């Protein structure tokens, strides 16, 4: 059980770091990669949140997953808006890492 929590925390931290890197000017391929990583991380955190009865964590994480989904991408056409969303999402994954690591 502890290994799953450690793995979940590590996945969240890796996603948070990749989101921070996404705040800088990167090739378009990086943002496609970032969408995939954040989407998969969101699914992992979402399932963990539902299993642990953390509804508020699940709702916010689901919204992040929808925003970053690579299947039907949402284009905001503004780097500054994406930087804000990347920073907020990065902070959220750090929070989830701490929250899931404690429980």
């Amino acid at each position: 059980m502890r290994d799953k929590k450690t793995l979940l925390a590590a996945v969240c931290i890796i996603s948070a770091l990749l989101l921070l890197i996404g705040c800088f000017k990167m090739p378009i391929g990086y943002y496609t990669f970032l969408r995939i990583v954040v989407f998969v991380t969101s699914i992992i955190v979402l399932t963990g949140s539902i299993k642990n009865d953390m509804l508020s964590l699940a709702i916010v994480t689901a919204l992040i997953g929808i925003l970053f989904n690579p299947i039907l991408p949402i284009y905001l056409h503004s780097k500054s808006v994406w930087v804000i969303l990347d920073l907020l999402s990065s902070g959220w994954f750090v929070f989830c890492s701490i929250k899931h690591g404690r429980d």
Side-chain angles (χ1 to χ4, degrees):
M1 181 69 132
R2 188 72 193 145
D3 290 338
K4 287 183 181 180
K5 289 181 181 182
T6 304
L7 181 61
L8 178 62
V11 168
C12 287
I13 294 298
I14 290 168
S15 292
L17 292 172
L18 291 174
L19 282 160
L20 290 176
I21 293 170
C23 293
F24 300 100
K25 187 168 177 58
M26 300 298 288
I28 192 69
Y30 179 80
Y31 297 108
T32 302
F33 169 73
L34 184 63
R35 280 183 181 272
I36 294 167
V37 170
V38 171
F39 183 70
V40 170
T41 302
S42 295
I43 291 170
I44 293 168
V45 172
L46 181 63
T47 56
S49 298
I50 291 170
K51 284 181 184 178
N52 293 327
D53 237 5
M54 300 176 181
L55 185 59
S56 57
L57 242 62
I59 291 170
V60 175
T61 303
L63 292 173
I64 290 172
I66 291 168
L67 180 65
F68 282 91
N69 87 81
I71 300 161
L72 295 171
I74 296 173
Y75 297 106
L76 299 178
H77 303 291
S78 173
K79 177 68 176 171
S80 58
V81 172
W82 275 111
V83 167
I84 293 167
L85 292 172
D86 287 348
L87 290 172
L88 290 172
S89 299
S90 178
W92 181 256
F93 283 129
V94 169
F95 173 76
C96 287
S97 170
I98 294 166
K99 187 74 172 163
H100 279 287
R102 274 192 324 192
D103 296 331

